[in-house]
């Protein structure tokens, strides 16, 4: 790792001002992606600003209609939170599938979303559940937040403060895991809102990051069942193709994971 | 350079290190606690797992600044004098190690698993929960046996307290 300066911020405002002072600063949340990238010298920030101990960024609030997760809340704390398990069990289950137990103790929802890895899990939940990403400057709808491979609507120095998920009528996440990295070779999150809207998001599949899957949403609108997807064909256009799986393979996985997710959601 | 203050195995420690220092290097190179290993250095193998404020984390993926003010327990901090921790004893009794390289991380992760699951631990859960610890000798069978054995001993010890 190249030389860097570490700063522990005690408030969101302090973090923003530390960021502005650095030449090429980066925010550090759980560090489970940023630190490996820095160790490989693929990133060399002049300053890293640690957000993980800012009290205003930690915690979970659950009401009848919404689950609000503050940005520096760890995957472990989301996965094991009894209120999240009750309100949106699919979200707690997803958090419990990220990486391995040691990674889940450190990794955070804000870090995962800001990084927007094309095979990360949380982006699928945020997009399918139509969550709102709140930052220190504004609120961003899920449809506007994700902008391609490792790209988001976040501006330089903008800090995610919390993510607000509407409680759905039904939801489930199914992930075909890469056995070594635990990233999604393809993961699909299906959700039916209380108003009856259906949203389906796939991660790990598209070369432009998390995406909604219109063909599956359409089929589930007329019939919410795994069987309704039997006749659906997913195009392999724009899907990733690598040593782990071809674009065609991933296209098929989108359908199969969606069917399993619908069956699980009930 | 920054001064990092933390508690390691119950003792207060103060070390001057570069900001880019990882917790594992502070432990190994500055405190000579070489029981914690660096295996893959990419946060996949788990040989570097230690407990930070009671949670089993990968010390190769944590900057010293993040560990400032915390309490760290390494493999060296488990035994009470000559008396091995029940997890260490179970690994010895069940032949839970071959070359031993992954063992410190396995033991630190395993204690965390038992703490989280208590008496409800079964073989499938142990195998699943150990996914972040890799044994290159592939001796998983006896490792799993050791963890289940230790879970029984640790729960007995807790019940006796």
């Amino acid at each position: 790792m190249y030389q860097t300066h570490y700063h522990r911020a005690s408030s969101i405002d302090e973090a923003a001002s530390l960021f502005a002072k650095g030449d090429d600063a980066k925010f550090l949340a759980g560090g489970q992606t940023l630190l490996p990238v820095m160790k490989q010298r693929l990133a060399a920030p002049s300053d890293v600003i640690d957000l993980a101990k800012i009290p205003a960024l930690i915690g979970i609030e659950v009401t009848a209609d919404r689950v609000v997760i503050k940005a520096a809340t760890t995957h472990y704390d989301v996965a094991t939170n009894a209120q999240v398990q009750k309100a949106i069990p699919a979200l707690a289950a997803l958090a419990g599938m990220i990486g391995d137990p040691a990674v889940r103790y450190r990794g955070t929802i804000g870090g995962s979303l800001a990084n927007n890895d094309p095979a990360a899990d949380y982006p699928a939940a945020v997009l399918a559940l139509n969550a709102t990403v709140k930052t220190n400057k504004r609120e961003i709808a899920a449809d506007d937040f994700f902008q391609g491979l490792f790209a988001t609507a976040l501006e330089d120095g903008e800090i995610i403060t919390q993510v607000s998920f509407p409680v759905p009528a039904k939801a489930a996440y199914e992930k075909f895991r890469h056995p070594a990295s635990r990233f999604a070779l393809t993961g699909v999150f299906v959700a039916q809102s209380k108003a009856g809207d259906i949203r389906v998001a796939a991660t790990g599949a598209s070369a432009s990051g998390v995406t909604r899957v219109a063909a599956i949403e359409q089929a589930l609108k007329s019939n919410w069942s795994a069987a309704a997807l039997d006749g659906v064909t997913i195009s392999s256009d724009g899907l990733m193709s690598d040593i782990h799986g071809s674009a065609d393979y991933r296209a098929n996985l989108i359908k199969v994971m969606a069917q399993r997710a619908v069956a699980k959601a009930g | 350079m920054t001064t990092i203050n933390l508690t390691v195995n119950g003792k207060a420690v103060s070390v001057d290190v570069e900001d880019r220092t990882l917790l594992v290097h502070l432990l190994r190179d500055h405190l000579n606690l070489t029981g914690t290993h660096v295996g893959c250095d990419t946060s996949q193998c788990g040989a570097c797992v230690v407990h930070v404020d009671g949670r089993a984390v990968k010390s190769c993926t944590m900057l010293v600044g993040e560990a400032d003010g915390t309490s760290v327990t390494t493999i060296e901090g488990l035994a009470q004098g000559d008396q091995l921790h029940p997890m260490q004893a179970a690994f010895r009794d069940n032949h839970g190690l071959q070359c031993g390289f992954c063992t410190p991380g396995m033991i630190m992760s395993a204690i965390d698993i038992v703490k989280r699951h208590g008496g409800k631990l079964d073989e499938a859960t142990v195998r699943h929960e150990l996914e972040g610890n890799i044994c290159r000798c592939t001796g998983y069978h006896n490792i799993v046996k050791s963890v289940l054995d230790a879970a029984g001993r640790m729960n007995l010890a807790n019940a006796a307290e």
Side-chain angles (χ1 to χ4, degrees), chain B residues 53-68:
Chain B
D53 287 339
R55 290 181 164 194
V57 304
K58 295 184 172 175
S59 62
C60 82
T61 310
M62 189 168 186
L63 290 171
V64 285
E66 297 179 272
D68 193 24

Side-chain angles (χ1 to χ4, degrees), chain A residues 3 38 233 259:
Chain A
Q3 292 287 5
M38 286 171 68
T233 309
Q259 287 183 307

Side-chain angles (χ1 to χ4, degrees), chain B residues 106-160:
Chain B
M106 286 285 179
I107 286 177
M108 299 313 284
S109 290
I111 291 170
D112 188 76
I113 293 168
V114 174
K115 275 192 194 156
R116 279 186 285 116
H117 291 275
K120 286 181 283 183
L121 210 51
D122 56 22
E123 184 188 328
T125 307
V126 173
R127 287 185 183 276
H128 180 64
E129 290 268 339
L130 278 178
E131 65 189 347
N133 290 78
I134 295 171
C135 167
R136 253 333 6 151
C137 308
T138 68
Y140 295 104
H141 194 68
N142 283 354
I143 291 171
V144 173
K145 226 166 99 183
S146 305
V147 178
L148 289 170
D149 183 10
R153 299 185 199 196
M154 285 169 69
N155 289 327
L156 281 178
N158 285 341

Side-chain angles (χ1 to χ4, degrees), chain A residues 58-107:
Chain A
I58 301 167
I60 296 168
E61 286 161 12
V62 179
T63 59
D65 295 324
R66 298 197 89 85
V67 169
V68 175
I69 301 176
K70 295 186 183 172
T73 308
T74 63
H75 308 326
Y76 174 79
D77 288 337
V78 175
T80 56
N81 183 285
Q83 286 181 292
V84 179
Q85 287 171 346
K86 195 161 168 254
I88 315 182
L91 186 62
L94 174 146
M97 275 185 236
I98 300 170
D100 59 49
V103 168
R104 292 196 287 274
Y105 272 142
R106 302 282 312 151

Side-chain angles (χ1 to χ4, degrees), chain A residues 9-220:
Chain A
S10 53
S11 69
I12 295 166
D13 288 344
E14 190 194 358
S17 87
L18 284 166
F19 187 95
K21 276 185 220 154
D23 295 336
D24 181 19
K26 270 212 182 284
F27 291 119
L28 176 71
Q32 301 303 286
T33 300
L34 180 59
L35 293 178
V37 169
M38 286 171 68
K39 291 200 301 186
Q40 290 175 66
R41 297 187 167 184
L42 294 171
S46 60
D47 300 81
V48 286
I49 293 135
D50 191 355
L51 305 173
K53 290 202 165 68
I54 297 176
L57 292 183
I58 301 167
I60 296 168
E61 286 161 12
V62 179
T63 59
D65 295 324
R66 298 197 89 85
V67 169
V68 175
I69 301 176
K70 295 186 183 172
T73 308
T74 63
H75 308 326
Y76 174 79
D77 288 337
V78 175
T80 56
N81 183 285
Q83 286 181 292
V84 179
Q85 287 171 346
K86 195 161 168 254
I88 315 182
L91 186 62
L94 174 146
M97 275 185 236
I98 300 170
D100 59 49
V103 168
R104 292 196 287 274
Y105 272 142
R106 302 282 312 151
T108 66
I109 186 168
S112 169
L113 295 176
N115 187 48
N116 193 20
D117 186 293
D121 298 295
Y122 266 130
V126 168
L127 196 56
L129 290 169
N130 199 14
T132 305
V133 178
K134 198 174 170 201
T135 76
N136 57 337
K137 294 179 179 166
R138 58 192 166 138
E139 291 191 355
I140 309 170
D143 284 321
D144 302 326
F145 184 82
F146 302 103
Q147 301 193 346
L149 218 58
F150 297 105
T152 69
L154 292 172
E155 290 163 8
D156 228 22
E158 191 170 7
I159 301 168
I160 300 177
T161 56
Q162 62 181 44
V163 187
S164 175
F165 295 91
V167 173
K170 292 175 178 183
Y173 180 60
E174 275 289 319
K175 162 175 167 180
F176 195 85
R177 290 157 37 120
H178 185 286
S181 73
R182 276 97 195 170
F183 271 106
L185 195 53
T186 288
V188 175
F189 200 109
V190 300
Q192 189 185 105
S193 76
K194 284 181 176 169
D197 292 333
I198 288 162
R199 291 171 65 102
V200 175
T203 186
S206 167
S208 45
V210 68
T211 46
R212 287 175 66 181
V213 192
I216 289 176
E217 289 180 355
Q218 213 55 47
L220 291 177

Side-chain angles (χ1 to χ4, degrees), chain B residues 66-95:
Chain B
E66 297 179 272
D68 193 24
T70 63
S71 177
V72 176
T73 304
T74 70
I75 188 77
E76 290 91 344
L78 293 181
Q80 312 250 323
D82 288 341
Q83 202 192 343
L84 292 177
H85 184 280
M87 188 62 73
Q88 293 173 304
F91 267 70
R92 186 178 63 179
D93 295 347
N94 292 285
H95 198 66

